[in-house]
Amino acid sequence: MYRKCNLCPRACNIDRNTTLGVCQVSAKVKVARAALHFWEEPCISGNNGSGAVFFSGCSLHCVFCQNEEISHGKVGQEITIEELAGLYIDLQNQGANNINLVTGTHYIPQIVESVTIARKKGLDIPIIYNTSGYETVESLRLLEGIVNTYLPDFKYMDNLLALKYSHAKDYPDVAKEAIAEMVRQCGKPQFDNNGFIKSGVIVRQLLLPGHVKDAKAIIKYLYETYSDNIYISMMSQYTPMPQIASKYPELNRRVTKREYDSLINYAIDLGVENAFIQDRAVAKESFIPEFNNYLN
C-alpha cells in the first residue's frame, strides 16, 4: 500500500519507501511518544491514564497545531511492527485503561498488524483511534474489528475555513463520511462498570477563537444526524502557538468564556445530552506533552 500511498484523502499516490508525501514520514513506523496520558475525556483517561502512542507525521497540518514538532515528522524514533506491539503490552502492564493511537492514519496497515500481534500476546484493553477526522472510508474499513472506539475531530463545517487553516477544502465532506463509517463499525457508545468507554464514537469539536458560528453548525449537524448514538466533546482548550501570530492574528488568543458558554448553551438548547465539556483552565501549554523520547 505504501508503494502508491493513498491511505489519507490527500491521495499522494507516491512510493513512501523512497519519497515523502504530505504526511512527511516514510513507510517505517515512527513514534514520538508512548506513555500514560491523563488529559483525555474522563471515560478514556480516568485515574490510571490512557496508553497514548503519538505517531510522527500528519496528513492535515493545521496552522494552529499544538503538536507541530511531531506533525512534520521531525521528532520521533523509527521502530518495527513487533516493537510497536510491545509498546501496547508495556502500556497495559503500566495500568493503562486503553491503547490510544494518536494520528495514525499514515500507518494504518502497521496498526492492524501490530494490534493483531499484541492481542495474541495478551493485549485485552480497548483500542482507541484518535484522529483529525480527515480519513478515507476505505482506510477506516481496514480498522474494522481492530478499533473499539473512534475519537475523531470535527474541525470545520465551513469549506473556506478548512482551506485556510488546514489546506483541505474537502475536510467537511470527508469528515462527515468518515464519522458515518466509524458509527457504522462501532455503534452506540458502550461503557464498562467503572464508566470507561468500551466501544463507540466520541466526536471532538475544538472551538477556535472567533468561530463560534461554525462550531454551532458542527454541533447541530452531529446531533441531528446521530442524536444519542455518539458523544460530543466540546473543547475549550485551544492554545495559540507561536507559529500563528503573524500570519493568523485572529487565532492568536484563547477562547473567551462568553464564546464557550455560547456554544454549550446552544448544545443544551438543541437537546444534546451525551456530551463532555471542559474547564477553560485546560487551555495552557503545560498540557501539551513533550516529545523528547519515544517511550516515557
Side-chain angles (χ1 to χ4, degrees):
M1 296 185 76
Y2 292 121
R3 289 177 180 161
K4 290 185 177 181
C5 187
N6 293 305
L7 284 169
C8 83
R10 301 290 189 186
C12 293
N13 201 39
I14 60 164
D15 186 348
R16 279 176 51 199
N17 294 292
T18 59
T19 309
L20 298 183
V22 173
C23 65
Q24 289 295 291
V25 286
S26 72
K28 295 181 179 179
V29 176
K30 194 172 186 180
V31 172
R33 179 178 171 86
L36 295 177
H37 191 62
F38 298 91
W39 301 295
E40 308 287 30
E41 286 75 5
C43 66
I44 296 175
S45 291
N47 293 324
N48 290 343
S50 176
V53 179
F54 291 85
F55 292 97
S56 300
C58 180
S59 59
L60 201 53
H61 299 298
C62 303
V63 300
F64 50 82
C65 182
Q66 295 182 347
N67 296 342
E68 189 182 31
E69 62 179 315
I70 68 166
S71 67
H72 290 280
K74 296 178 180 178
V75 175
Q77 182 172 332
E78 290 184 350
I79 61 175
T80 66
I81 293 174
E82 289 75 17
E83 288 172 328
L84 181 58
L87 290 182
Y88 307 154
I89 298 295
D90 288 343
L91 289 166
Q92 177 174 267
N93 290 341
Q94 291 176 47
N97 298 312
N98 44 65
I99 300 300
N100 185 355
L101 305 174
V102 185
T103 317
T105 309
H106 39 289
Y107 294 127
I108 283 178
Q110 288 102 321
I111 286 173
V112 171
E113 188 172 354
S114 61
V115 171
T116 301
I117 291 171
R119 282 176 172 164
K120 289 179 181 178
K121 292 183 177 181
L123 182 72
D124 61 3
I125 54 177
I127 300 294
I128 294 178
Y129 189 75
N130 190 333
T131 168
S132 68
Y134 198 56
E135 305 275 357
T136 69
V137 171
E138 293 75 17
S139 290
L140 289 173
R141 285 176 179 162
L142 298 175
L143 295 169
E144 189 165 6
I146 297 294
V147 169
N148 303 102
T149 297
Y150 283 100
L151 187 61
D153 295 336
F154 197 142
K155 296 179 182 291
Y156 320 98
M157 187 63 77
D158 187 317
N159 297 87
L160 295 181
L161 289 180
L163 177 63
K164 183 176 183 180
Y165 296 141
S166 293
H167 322 291
K169 188 177 181 180
D170 61 343
Y171 179 93
D173 291 334
V174 168
K176 287 178 183 178
E177 292 183 5
I179 292 169
E181 172 61 19
M182 296 172 190
V183 174
R184 183 196 70 78
Q185 287 185 24
C186 295
K188 192 171 183 177
Q190 302 293 321
F191 301 85
D192 66 18
N193 293 333
N194 295 314
F196 294 114
I197 191 163
K198 296 193 299 182
S199 63
V201 179
I202 301 173
V203 182
R204 288 172 160 175
Q205 203 294 311
L206 176 65
L207 179 59
L208 297 177
H211 294 295
V212 177
K213 180 180 178 181
D214 193 62
K216 288 179 177 179
I218 292 169
I219 301 303
K220 184 174 188 290
Y221 168 79
L222 291 173
Y223 183 66
E224 290 183 347
T225 305
Y226 298 108
S227 185
D228 293 329
N229 291 315
I230 64 170
Y231 270 71
I232 301 174
S233 183
M234 292 175 281
M235 305 173 75
S236 63
Q237 71 183 48
Y238 174 80
T239 302
M241 304 303 288
Q243 72 267 17
I244 57 95
S246 59
K247 291 185 178 180
Y248 306 95
E250 72 277 15
L251 296 182
N252 195 32
R253 66 172 176 85
R254 291 179 174 147
V255 170
T256 66
K257 183 179 186 299
R258 181 176 181 180
E259 287 174 320
Y260 190 54
D261 286 349
S262 176
L263 181 62
I264 294 172
N265 290 334
Y266 178 78
I268 291 172
D269 289 343
L270 276 178
V272 174
E273 293 185 357
N274 289 353
F276 296 97
I277 62 174
Q278 283 185 322
D279 187 319
R280 289 178 63 252
V282 301
K284 297 179 181 179
E285 292 182 24
S286 60
F287 284 82
I288 301 171
E290 291 187 10
F291 303 104
N292 56 359
N293 193 330
Y294 89 94
L295 181 58
N296 286 316

